[in-house]
Amino acid sequence: MHAVRDRCVWSQQITHRDLVPYLIEEAHEVIDAVEAGSRDDLREELGDLLWQVLFHSAIAAQDPDDPFDIDDVARTLTEKMVRRHPHVFAGEVAETPEQVLVHWNAAKAAEKRTRRSVLDGVPRGMPALALAQKVIGRAAGVGVAIEPAPTASATSEKELGEALLALVAAARAEGWDAERALRERLRTLEDDVRAAEAAS
């Protein structure tokens, strides 16, 4: 990475912002490799994703005001994982996945004390469906519930996929943008969550 950053004229000009589309693409390629089940593709795509981490770290190392490098990234990650696994590193007990989650969430809450809303830290750039699932979960935590549609009778993920695809097809037939529609509805849900938090 150092050689590429130092000697490749294209790489020398790249910023964190310039790399974002590549980071998104590489993450999706890892997902495709996982879902397709190809070990060779997964190994390759994980390498490409790691390259993005190395690239961002190399850019960060050249920041004149607040530099950090890949060693700093790894150290920060290690410290976080140790804090979030007290049942592994600090003598706490967790015998079920649910107990592990309790430790994880307690450590995360202690780290994020400055957050004022359950929505803080939810990445806005997530795809709308993933964002909806995350926001609905956070909303439920403050008492803002979204009732499932009465026609949502899917009994498996496969049937759910069929139902979602049918909804997107209906949106397309009407000339609606399904992604935009869901994002706009999520904005009003987020407003409801913040209002509920302010009222409590």
Side-chain angles (χ1 to χ4, degrees):
M1 184 67 248
H2 289 303
V4 168
R5 184 75 172 159
D6 290 343
R7 291 186 249 157
C8 171
V9 292
W10 180 84
S11 298
Q12 290 168 355
Q13 306 303 313
I14 294 296
T15 66
H16 290 297
R17 186 176 294 275
D18 295 332
L19 278 180
V20 167
Y22 302 103
L23 179 60
I24 293 168
E25 181 179 343
E26 297 301 349
H28 285 285
E29 288 178 1
V30 169
I31 293 167
D32 284 347
V34 168
E35 291 177 348
S38 165
R39 303 288 293 167
D40 289 341
D41 288 348
L42 181 57
R43 181 171 44 251
E44 178 181 351
E45 299 306 338
L46 284 172
D48 291 347
L49 188 58
L50 177 59
W51 183 256
Q52 293 297 308
V53 175
L54 295 170
F55 208 152
H56 278 283
S57 298
I59 294 168
Q62 294 174 329
D63 186 286
D65 300 318
D66 186 18
F68 62 83
D69 62 15
I70 190 64
D71 291 331
D72 298 314
V73 171
R75 187 177 311 104
T76 300
L77 174 61
T78 300
E79 290 167 357
K80 180 194 289 187
M81 290 303 108
V82 168
R83 279 192 313 272
R84 293 195 184 178
H85 292 84
H87 54 289
V88 175
F89 299 104
E92 296 288 340
V93 175
E95 296 176 353
T96 67
E98 294 77 18
Q99 291 171 336
V100 170
L101 194 56
V102 167
H103 290 305
W104 179 277
N105 288 335
K108 188 172 180 179
E111 294 166 12
K112 310 294 182 182
R113 282 191 197 112
T114 58
R115 291 187 175 172
R116 304 215 185 287
S117 170
V118 295
L119 299 175
D120 290 349
V122 175
R124 298 291 316 152
M126 291 173 73
L129 273 177
L131 182 60
Q133 188 152 343
K134 176 78 78 176
V135 171
I136 288 170
R138 299 281 178 97
V142 296
V144 178
I146 298 296
E147 294 300 320
T151 57
S153 58
T155 59
S156 67
E157 281 193 1
K158 181 178 181 185
E159 288 181 13
L160 177 61
E162 293 292 335
L164 289 171
L165 189 61
L167 275 174
V168 172
R172 184 178 181 276
E174 293 290 338
W176 300 332
D177 183 320
E179 178 85 6
R180 183 176 58 230
L182 184 53
R183 283 193 176 279
E184 288 177 356
R185 178 60 183 92
L186 283 171
R187 282 191 197 92
T188 63
L189 175 57
E190 290 169 356
D191 290 343
D192 294 344
V193 167
R194 293 186 193 281
E197 289 174 326
S200 63

